[in-house]
Amino acid sequence: MQDNFVCGRLTCTGCGACIDACPFQALEMAETGPCGDPAPIVDALKCKDCGLCHTVCPACEPVELRMPFKTYAAWSNELSDIRLSSSGGLATALARSAIIDGGVVFGSASVDGEARCIAVEEESGLEGLRGSKYVYSSPAGAYRSVKKYLARGRKVLFISTPCQVAALRSIVGDSRDGLICVDLICHGTPPAALLREHLDSQVKGRWDAFSFRGANDFHMRAYRDGELVFDRPCFEDGFFSVFVAGIIHRDACYECPYACNRRAGDITLGDFWGLDKSTLEAVPPGKVSVVLCNTKAGADAIAKLPASVYLEERSFSEADNEEQTNLHEPSRRTRDRRRFLKAYGRVGFDSAVHRTWTWKRFWLRTKKHQLLGLLGR
């Protein structure tokens, strides 16, 4: 077995295009490197050197990225979307519209303790797709499934990170009718192995699901059979705090070719960070999404959204502000990343986090707020 056979460790995003495309099942995803980064492993006995894995790899053969031509501040006025969505509920609104139109939705869900890209055909199944998954989401088999649905004449809405959107486009091509791809403004994807190690050390007993955003926004939460068993605010939790600080992404995330103005999807969604809400023509009931239309197909899908979705056109320059970092540059490697990596192999995840300056700053801030609370200030 040889790892990172296709594009190399520093450029591999773990998108899995090579695995889904291989006609000889010669590749499989495995946790590699010191942090368990998912990467393809080749079985030399099965490999026929056909080169298809290189052809569909977006790192080897990049897809065309498109510049947004329409920008919206948007939100859903559906009560459940307001309460449970990470941002303005636009991903759920698009997904609901796709299913009503007879389509299939692919998105990330927390399944058996990991994030996976799954297919949803009923509106009731959309609940599992809500909320950001700040960890690597396995696309295993998803691209093949999309191809099968499209071949049957079904419409497909695919919502994922830009690298996985690029992988799907590489496999199915850009001329397939009925496919709408939504890329998410991505901060980076830590390996699932790190989240697993962290929650195993923090949760008493078994856990099988997790969340980061939603009703309790910016809380690290874990569940067992639907029951909450762990709940900690972002900056008091070791995993969440170093994710926000950009310390634990895989290497490729720090050189991400998709963290830029030009986009992989027909539509781009994210939080509208840096928006001056006082300039809006309507008062949002909660969080606000930024919506970028990058193709005519994407703009048509947005135009078909129901009246319960509020859309207000804004300038792209307003969206591409200094708070929306990953719309113009990748997350940066920091000294704390080096500190973490140096310690992780010796002391494990939580102890390595505690050796970073990021954690020490968050810890001091938390203690200060707790003290001021006790003093009634």
Side-chain angles (χ1 to χ4, degrees):
M1 291 283 189
Q2 179 183 352
D3 67 341
N4 292 295
F5 166 81
V6 181
C7 64
R9 181 178 65 84
L10 296 180
T11 55
C12 179
T13 64
C15 74
C18 55
I19 296 172
D20 263 26
C22 180
F24 308 108
Q25 291 78 53
L27 290 155
E28 63 180 33
M29 195 71 79
E31 293 182 349
T32 65
C35 296
D37 292 331
I41 302 287
V42 65
D43 185 335
L45 296 177
K46 294 181 178 179
C47 179
K48 307 300 181 185
D49 287 325
C50 69
L52 185 57
C53 54
H54 293 278
T55 301
V56 300
C57 173
C60 297
E61 299 288 342
V63 301
E64 180 189 2
L65 304 181
R66 287 80 63 108
M67 193 68 191
F69 61 89
K70 274 194 177 181
T71 302
Y72 295 100
W75 60 83
S76 169
N77 284 304
E78 295 281 349
L79 291 178
S80 62
D81 295 345
I82 295 168
R83 188 171 63 89
L84 298 174
S85 297
S86 294
S87 188
L90 265 291
T92 300
L94 279 165
R96 189 183 295 118
S97 179
I99 287 176
I100 291 172
D101 197 30
V104 184
V105 177
F106 283 78
S108 183
S110 177
V111 181
D112 296 331
E114 66 176 14
R116 295 182 195 167
C117 185
I118 65 169
V120 174
E121 298 188 63
E122 304 289 338
E123 192 172 335
S124 59
L126 295 178
E127 190 68 25
L129 304 187
R130 290 185 192 270
S132 301
K133 317 296 187 298
Y134 293 145
V135 69
Y136 173 79
S137 181
S138 171
Y143 310 134
R144 284 195 298 267
S145 294
V146 170
K147 285 187 72 174
K148 289 178 182 177
Y149 280 115
L150 291 172
R152 295 176 199 153
R154 297 285 297 277
K155 295 179 180 179
V156 174
L157 177 71
F158 185 84
I159 306 172
S160 191
T161 55
C163 54
Q164 293 189 2
V165 166
L168 178 63
R169 287 177 54 198
S170 292
I171 288 176
V172 305
D174 286 335
S175 60
R176 295 298 293 266
D177 292 333
L179 174 63
I180 296 292
C181 292
V182 177
D183 75 65
L184 306 171
I185 300 174
C186 180
H187 185 53
T189 54
L194 297 183
L195 178 62
R196 188 167 60 242
E197 181 181 343
H198 172 61
L199 288 180
D200 282 348
S201 72
Q202 298 296 312
V203 178
K204 294 181 179 179
R206 181 179 60 87
W207 58 276
D208 55 25
F210 58 86
S211 67
F212 296 91
R213 303 282 303 274
N216 261 22
D217 216 17
F218 289 102
H219 274 233
M220 177 78 258
R221 310 183 101 191
Y223 306 84
R224 182 188 305 124
D225 300 326
E227 180 182 350
L228 181 66
V229 292
F230 179 77
D231 186 358
R232 191 172 288 165
C234 167
F235 296 118
E236 295 178 28
D237 179 73
F239 183 92
F240 210 157
S241 59
V242 290
F243 164 76
V244 171
I247 293 171
I248 55 173
H249 306 329
R250 65 184 299 141
D251 280 323
C253 294
Y254 300 103
E255 309 295 337
C256 178
Y258 310 107
C260 61
N261 289 173
R262 306 185 79 86
R263 308 304 302 172
D266 299 289
I267 299 167
T268 296
L269 296 180
D271 294 286
F272 207 136
W273 299 120
L275 173 69
D276 182 356
K277 293 182 180 179
S278 68
T279 65
L280 291 168
E281 295 177 7
V283 178
K287 293 161 281 190
V288 180
S289 294
V290 61
V291 180
L292 306 179
C293 297
N294 313 316
T295 67
K296 182 180 183 301
D300 289 345
I302 293 297
K304 291 177 183 177
L305 287 172
S308 58
V309 174
Y310 179 81
L311 296 165
E312 183 175 315
E313 192 161 355
R314 313 290 288 195
S315 68
F316 177 73
S317 60
E318 185 180 19
D320 185 26
N321 61 68
E322 61 181 12
E323 292 186 42
Q324 196 69 272
T325 308
N326 297 119
L327 196 51
H328 50 259
E329 66 179 11
S331 297
R332 298 179 181 179
R333 286 186 181 88
T334 64
R335 291 182 180 179
D336 262 353
R337 174 168 172 79
R338 292 194 289 273
R339 291 188 186 97
F340 172 83
L341 292 175
K342 184 177 180 180
Y344 175 62
R346 294 183 289 107
V347 301
F349 181 81
D350 289 324
S351 294
V353 168
H354 293 165
R355 298 188 183 196
T356 65
W357 286 110
T358 296
W359 173 256
K360 292 170 184 175
R361 286 195 299 272
F362 290 155
W363 184 87
L364 287 171
R365 187 174 77 172
T366 298
K367 294 302 177 184
K368 177 183 176 181
H369 289 170
Q370 289 174 346
L371 179 59
L372 291 174
L374 289 173
L375 295 174
R377 297 183 183 176

